[in-house]
Amino acid sequence: MRCNYTRSDAEQWAAFSGDYNPIHFDLQWARKLGSERLTVHGMRAMLDMKQALSEALRPVPPDAHFFRFSARLRQPVRCGLDYRLDVVATEYQASGRLLDERSGESCFSAKLVPSVAFDIADVPHIQRLKRQDVEALGRRFPGAPLLQWSFLDALLFQRIVSSAEILSAIKERLPTMQARTLIDVFAQLSVVQTHHDVHFNVDLLASGALCCGDDALSYVILPSLIVGDGDSGLVVRIEVQCWTPQSPLLASAVTLKTASYTQR
């Protein structure tokens, strides 16, 4: 599968997620952070990988009840360049790589395998999304056809982007940074590596609108783990979980490694 991402891809993802980091839209800003091209958000590029791996594992193994998706992003995905998405699958797992067609370098790799269920964390501050709100977001989702687990992972990323608690925790590590949102933070920090892990219910491998029934989706953003400082760079781990009264649905963890803030 060939991929060539454009600014339009970045704009569609931003319209859904609320992540308007200027590194995806402002070439002068991107150059200030060391990139000669605009980059496409890693979560947008992963939509194609998630779709390809999910299709490669159909039909679903009959004894699989949960799956785990894991991805490692090592190089930015640039606008206007040609990429190749290679997938290898067996009966029980699928793996893939997004390769730069010119250099042959792997921008990111991913794997989808059967897994065990995750335990819902016993923490306060549970939040909820109404069914009609979830359905409205599904109509704006840039992935087509809509893959339920990919959509739910993106929806929870949207919740992370707007989290005041995560913003506050990062600013404690970077007290001189001027930022009103989490997007302001990552507009000033260069992310050099991203790990993304998702555990999800096998029922979410289906395509089509996510059905919540008469229930709201419950979710919780767990306390962030942050190490490092402005001189050495940060490692930030963010985890969010989602469920209905019937069962756990999806747990997503994002780990970001940034460059030094003082050397930006």
Side-chain angles (χ1 to χ4, degrees):
M1 174 180 175
R2 260 63 182 183
C3 304
N4 188 307
Y5 297 101
T6 66
R7 177 170 174 152
S8 177
D9 292 310
E11 289 171 346
Q12 290 175 9
W13 173 256
F16 173 82
S17 68
D19 187 345
Y20 283 92
N21 189 328
I23 197 171
H24 308 309
F25 307 101
D26 185 333
L27 185 57
Q28 184 175 356
W29 191 279
R31 286 171 173 164
K32 185 168 67 173
L33 292 181
S35 175
E36 287 303 311
R37 286 178 177 264
L38 297 177
T39 63
V40 174
H41 199 290
M43 289 289 286
R44 169 61 188 89
M46 274 196 287
L47 295 182
D48 298 315
M49 179 69 78
K50 291 172 179 176
Q51 187 76 40
L53 297 188
S54 297
E55 291 175 355
L57 273 186
R58 294 192 177 100
V60 178
D63 56 347
H65 302 291
F66 279 78
F67 275 85
R68 180 187 179 193
F69 170 82
S70 56
R72 304 292 180 264
L73 285 75
R74 298 177 175 86
Q75 299 287 340
V77 180
R78 317 283 187 186
C79 286
L81 297 182
D82 292 326
Y83 294 92
R84 187 178 77 247
L85 200 166
D86 289 346
V87 173
V88 177
T90 66
E91 182 180 359
Y92 285 98
Q93 73 173 43
S95 58
R97 296 187 301 164
L98 187 72
L99 302 171
D100 185 324
E101 289 262 66
R102 296 183 308 170
S103 66
E105 291 183 331
S106 175
C107 292
F108 70 90
S109 58
K111 184 178 292 187
L112 183 62
V113 299
S115 183
V116 298
F118 64 90
D119 294 324
I120 297 171
D122 183 15
V123 296
H125 310 304
I126 294 172
Q127 302 180 69
R128 289 177 175 82
L129 275 171
K130 295 179 180 179
R131 176 172 57 87
Q132 56 265 38
D133 294 333
V134 173
E135 292 172 350
L137 287 167
R139 291 190 289 269
R140 292 168 44 198
F141 186 57
L146 189 148
L147 183 63
Q148 291 185 12
W149 76 268
S150 182
F151 163 66
L152 188 52
D153 187 31
L155 185 155
L156 295 178
F157 174 82
Q158 183 194 64
R159 303 292 98 183
I160 287 172
V161 166
S162 60
S163 170
E165 291 78 13
I166 298 173
L167 172 64
S168 178
I170 292 177
K171 289 181 70 174
E172 286 183 8
R173 294 279 178 170
L174 303 172
T176 63
M177 176 179 282
Q178 300 297 313
R180 295 181 297 175
T181 68
L182 203 56
I183 304 308
D184 292 340
V185 170
F186 288 106
Q188 300 175 67
L189 283 177
S190 179
V191 177
V192 297
Q193 193 172 94
T194 303
H195 294 183
H196 189 54
D197 291 276
V198 187
H199 286 78
F200 63 92
N201 192 303
V202 67
D203 293 339
L204 296 176
L205 267 175
S207 297
L210 181 65
C211 180
C212 304
D214 295 328
D215 303 311
L217 290 177
S218 299
Y219 72 95
V220 62
I221 300 174
L222 302 182
S224 303
L225 174 63
I226 304 174
V227 297
D229 53 32
D231 293 329
S232 61
L234 300 180
V235 176
V236 182
R237 178 179 169 82
I238 303 166
E239 184 173 356
V240 59
Q241 297 181 343
C242 179
W243 65 94
T244 66
Q246 288 73 37
S247 70
L249 289 181
L250 185 144
S252 180
V254 180
T255 304
L256 305 171
K257 181 179 180 182
T258 78
S260 165
Y261 173 59
T262 55
Q263 296 178 6
R264 65 191 185 284

